[in-house]
Amino acid sequence: MTKRPQNSRQVAEIVAVQALTFLAGAPDKLGLFLSESGIGPETLRSAAADPKFLAGVLDFIMRDDATVKAFADSSQLPPATIAAARDALGEPNWE
Protein backbone atom coordinates (compact mmCIF):
# COMPACT_ATOMS: atom_id res chain seq x y z
CA MET A 1 0.00 0.00 0.00
CA THR A 2 1.36 3.41 -1.00
CA LYS A 3 1.55 6.11 1.65
CA ARG A 4 -0.39 9.22 0.64
CA PRO A 5 0.83 12.75 1.39
CA GLN A 6 -0.66 14.12 4.61
CA ASN A 7 -0.72 17.85 3.96
CA SER A 8 -0.29 20.57 1.37
CA ARG A 9 3.38 21.04 2.22
CA GLN A 10 4.13 17.37 1.51
CA VAL A 11 2.25 17.63 -1.78
CA ALA A 12 4.19 20.81 -2.59
CA GLU A 13 7.48 19.05 -1.92
CA ILE A 14 6.46 16.23 -4.28
CA VAL A 15 5.61 18.76 -7.01
CA ALA A 16 8.95 20.51 -6.48
CA VAL A 17 10.88 17.22 -6.70
CA GLN A 18 9.01 16.51 -9.94
CA ALA A 19 10.11 19.96 -11.14
CA LEU A 20 13.72 19.18 -10.24
CA THR A 21 13.46 15.91 -12.15
CA PHE A 22 12.06 17.87 -15.10
CA LEU A 23 15.06 20.22 -14.95
CA ALA A 24 17.43 17.26 -14.79
CA GLY A 25 16.00 16.14 -18.13
CA ALA A 26 16.88 19.49 -19.71
CA PRO A 27 20.64 19.95 -19.28
CA ASP A 28 20.61 23.58 -20.46
CA LYS A 29 17.93 24.55 -17.92
CA LEU A 30 19.57 22.49 -15.18
CA GLY A 31 22.92 24.17 -15.84
CA LEU A 32 21.35 27.61 -15.62
CA PHE A 33 19.49 26.68 -12.43
CA LEU A 34 22.65 25.32 -10.80
CA SER A 35 24.59 28.40 -11.81
CA GLU A 36 21.98 30.77 -10.41
CA SER A 37 21.39 28.81 -7.22
CA GLY A 38 25.06 28.26 -6.43
CA ILE A 39 24.42 24.56 -5.88
CA GLY A 40 26.85 22.13 -7.45
CA PRO A 41 25.76 18.86 -9.06
CA GLU A 42 27.45 16.96 -6.24
CA THR A 43 25.20 18.57 -3.59
CA LEU A 44 21.97 18.61 -5.56
CA ARG A 45 20.57 15.45 -3.99
CA SER A 46 21.13 16.63 -0.42
CA ALA A 47 19.81 20.13 -1.22
CA ALA A 48 16.59 18.56 -2.51
CA ALA A 49 15.72 17.59 1.07
CA ASP A 50 15.39 21.29 2.01
CA PRO A 51 11.90 22.75 1.45
CA LYS A 52 13.40 26.21 0.95
CA PHE A 53 15.63 24.88 -1.82
CA LEU A 54 12.57 23.24 -3.38
CA ALA A 55 10.79 26.63 -3.26
CA GLY A 56 13.70 27.99 -5.30
CA VAL A 57 13.26 25.19 -7.83
CA LEU A 58 9.63 26.18 -8.33
CA ASP A 59 10.58 29.88 -8.52
CA PHE A 60 12.97 29.01 -11.33
CA ILE A 61 10.29 27.01 -13.16
CA MET A 62 7.65 29.69 -12.73
CA ARG A 63 9.63 32.69 -13.88
CA ASP A 64 9.31 31.71 -17.55
CA ASP A 65 5.92 30.96 -19.12
CA ALA A 66 7.36 28.47 -21.60
CA THR A 67 9.09 26.54 -18.80
CA VAL A 68 5.92 26.50 -16.68
CA LYS A 69 3.95 25.20 -19.65
CA ALA A 70 6.55 22.55 -20.47
CA PHE A 71 6.66 21.36 -16.85
CA ALA A 72 2.85 21.43 -16.57
CA ASP A 73 2.55 19.34 -19.75
CA SER A 74 5.27 16.94 -18.62
CA SER A 75 3.85 16.46 -15.13
CA GLN A 76 0.20 16.67 -16.16
CA LEU A 77 -0.33 19.29 -13.46
CA PRO A 78 -2.21 22.53 -14.05
CA PRO A 79 -0.09 25.67 -13.69
CA ALA A 80 -2.33 26.72 -10.78
CA THR A 81 -1.27 23.59 -8.90
CA ILE A 82 2.38 24.43 -9.50
CA ALA A 83 1.81 27.98 -8.19
CA ALA A 84 -0.06 26.65 -5.13
CA ALA A 85 2.82 24.26 -4.42
CA ARG A 86 5.24 27.16 -4.60
CA ASP A 87 3.15 29.17 -2.13
CA ALA A 88 2.96 26.24 0.27
CA LEU A 89 6.76 26.01 0.50
CA GLY A 90 7.39 29.51 1.82
CA GLU A 91 10.45 31.62 1.15
CA PRO A 92 13.31 30.20 -0.95
CA ASN A 93 16.80 29.68 0.45
CA TRP A 94 18.88 31.87 -1.89
CA GLU A 95 21.98 33.32 -0.31
Side-chain angles (χ1 to χ4, degrees):
M1 185 168 168
T2 304
K3 188 174 182 181
R4 292 178 135 321
Q6 298 298 311
N7 61 46
S8 61
R9 188 171 185 98
Q10 286 177 323
V11 171
E13 289 177 5
I14 291 167
V15 170
V17 169
Q18 288 175 324
L20 188 55
T21 301
F22 168 79
L23 289 176
D28 57 325
K29 290 186 189 309
L30 180 62
L32 181 59
F33 172 73
L34 293 175
S35 174
E36 290 180 12
S37 68
I39 298 291
E42 66 282 350
T43 59
L44 191 57
R45 186 177 301 267
S46 62
D50 181 357
K52 293 190 181 294
F53 173 77
L54 294 175
V57 171
L58 291 178
D59 280 343
F60 182 83
I61 292 283
M62 292 181 55
R63 75 176 189 194
D64 175 61
D65 289 342
T67 304
V68 172
K69 182 175 179 352
F71 173 56
D73 291 346
S74 152
S75 64
Q76 299 181 346
L77 294 171
T81 300
I82 299 165
R86 170 58 194 93
D87 289 343
L89 290 173
E91 293 299 314
N93 190 21
W94 299 118
E95 296 182 16

